[in-house]
Amino acid sequence: MLQQTTVAAVVPYYEKWLGIFPDVFALARAPLPRVLKAWEGLGYYDRARRLHQAARIVCREFDGRIPDTPEGLRGLPGFGPYISAAVLSLAYGRPLAVLDANVRRVLMRLDRIRGGSGAAADRALRRRLDGLLDRRRPSAFNQAMMELGALTCRPRNPRCPACPVQSFCRAFEAGEQEVIPPPKKRRSQKIATVVGIIESRGRYLIQKRPPSGLLAGLWEFPGGKREKGERLEAALRRELKEELGAEVERAGLLLKVRHAYTHFLVDLYAYDTVLDKIPPFDRRRHRWVARGGLKRYPFPSGSAKIIRFLEGRAADHRHGRNV
Ligand code: SF4
């Protein structure tokens, strides 16, 4: 859950998750759509899928107890070296150091390592970290290092005056704490997507995404990516023709929402859409769902924003407000 976000942002999701799945057996028993629904808003849905698969293996092969050896964990989906070291040291006190992005930054600053990336640089940092590890208290050591990176030795504006290891820090001594590690150049790709909000007798048409690829298995409103140089409404007409085999009779822009993924930004344009006819659909891929029932389906964050808008619009209508 903590990938690419902060503990403070994750806490409500974590508490809700434990309310739904209080132990590994509850998670293993749950159908996948329920798991994806509970994960909604956290992104990186493959993590939820792998966690679910791992829970099933743990229940089936280990009587519901998470293995306490690297060999035991290796067979579980989602357990790479980082997660395995974190679980084994924090839960079982095994002397393994955890090297995450926060810890990497702290080490680079402590030793004033100005650059270097890739496997060789990682191996050098790992050797250094293994040398520092407190083998009697690996859990406390790992949590202290991760917290130091997350709260004090932050990527920008590190809080050096409050830092407990300032006297050992070579980057601080050289006044280079702001430039180590060098900032990554990241170009966010922008993607425009159009979707049709198609309503019939109080129900909305939604469709399931393919079982593999980005946001696999989640639900969405029908539509897709705008092609280069294409007008938004033309893209909507083309997408709905391709996906539903239907012609758009009328379409009016309802709202635009923006959602940032790690490497790209998605602008999602939702159109109130009327089709010329409602074609027959395959129920495994398409469903008509009443507005109140949309909450039961797992949607990507952008679509979830559209649903909140539809709920707000309905509430405004009920109260006689103009929208
Ligand atoms: Fe990070 Fe500053 Fe502490 Fe050095 S002194 S470890 S740069 S917070």
Side-chain angles (χ1 to χ4, degrees):
M1 283 184 183
L2 285 164
Q3 188 178 26
Q4 303 281 344
T5 188
T6 61
V7 173
V10 160
V11 166
Y13 291 100
Y14 180 71
E15 288 175 343
K16 183 179 130 204
W17 180 271
L18 285 189
I20 302 170
F21 311 117
D23 58 32
V24 69
F25 296 103
L27 179 58
R29 269 195 312 270
L32 180 61
R34 185 147 184 256
V35 174
L36 295 177
K37 182 69 199 168
W39 194 266
E40 196 177 86
L42 284 164
Y44 303 96
Y45 285 86
D46 271 352
R47 298 202 132 197
R49 251 182 281 276
R50 288 198 290 261
L51 188 57
H52 186 225
Q53 289 163 359
R56 291 191 160 176
I57 295 172
V58 165
C59 291
R60 200 171 56 233
E61 296 177 17
F62 300 99
D63 287 333
R65 190 179 148 77
I66 314 279
D68 60 358
T69 61
E71 298 72 37
L73 289 180
R74 201 166 291 146
L76 297 180
F79 280 75
Y82 166 64
I83 295 288
S84 296
V87 168
L88 292 171
S89 63
L90 270 61
Y92 294 120
R94 305 263 164 183
L96 294 163
V98 175
L99 183 60
D100 72 357
N102 285 326
V103 175
R104 185 175 283 114
R105 182 172 61 255
V106 172
L107 289 176
M108 288 180 77
R109 286 174 174 170
L110 281 176
D111 289 354
R112 201 182 165 200
I113 300 169
R114 290 201 186 87
S117 58
D122 255 25
R123 275 198 299 277
L125 286 178
R126 158 119 346 250
R127 277 198 298 276
R128 173 76 167 120
L129 186 60
D130 285 340
L132 289 174
L133 176 68
D134 180 341
R135 296 179 170 269
R136 284 171 302 117
R137 295 184 302 160
S139 171
F141 174 85
N142 282 330
Q143 293 188 66
M145 286 296 282
M146 290 191 274
E147 288 293 279
L148 183 63
L151 302 179
T152 304
C153 195
R154 304 176 297 197
R156 280 186 296 273
N157 304 321
R159 299 169 59 216
C160 301
C163 177
V165 296
Q166 187 207 81
S167 55
F168 313 110
C169 180
R170 296 183 56 204
F172 176 75
E173 196 182 297
E176 291 177 359
Q177 62 271 32
E178 297 276 0
V179 292
I180 295 176
K184 279 196 198 121
K185 288 192 192 86
R186 187 184 282 168
R187 254 209 347 243
S188 280
Q189 195 193 348
K190 266 197 200 156
I191 296 171
T193 304
V194 288
V195 295
I197 308 300
I198 303 161
E199 189 182 355
S200 173
R201 286 182 264 163
R203 294 179 308 158
Y204 292 89
L205 184 63
I206 59 172
Q207 67 183 24
K208 197 173 191 177
R209 291 183 62 84
S212 59
L214 187 69
L215 307 172
L218 301 190
W219 290 79
E220 63 185 2
F221 295 100
K225 253 195 260 177
R226 174 173 69 169
E227 288 178 356
K228 210 166 169 217
E230 197 176 28
R231 286 180 49 244
L232 288 167
E233 207 175 308
L236 180 76
R237 289 176 185 280
R238 177 185 51 73
E239 283 289 343
L240 297 189
K241 177 83 182 159
E242 286 170 12
E243 292 193 348
L244 307 175
E247 298 291 343
V248 170
E249 195 176 288
R250 284 195 313 278
L253 184 62
L254 184 64
L255 84 158
K256 172 190 167 189
V257 297
R258 173 166 282 188
H259 190 71
Y261 293 88
T262 316
H263 298 300
F264 51 90
L265 275 177
V266 176
D267 282 333
L268 185 57
Y269 297 85
Y271 281 80
D272 257 334
T273 304
V274 176
L275 300 179
D276 65 336
K277 64 173 172 16
I278 302 290
F281 296 123
D282 176 353
R283 230 190 98 69
R284 279 167 301 183
R285 175 116 204 273
H286 292 101
R287 301 248 168 104
W288 288 99
V289 181
R291 193 181 45 251
L294 291 171
K295 283 204 203 79
R296 290 202 300 276
Y297 292 79
F299 282 91
S301 299
S303 305
K305 287 178 192 167
I306 296 175
I307 293 169
R308 284 197 291 280
F309 175 86
L310 295 174
E311 285 168 348
R313 182 171 72 166
D316 283 339
H317 278 311
R318 274 198 304 277
H319 295 107
R321 288 191 287 267
N322 287 327
V323 287

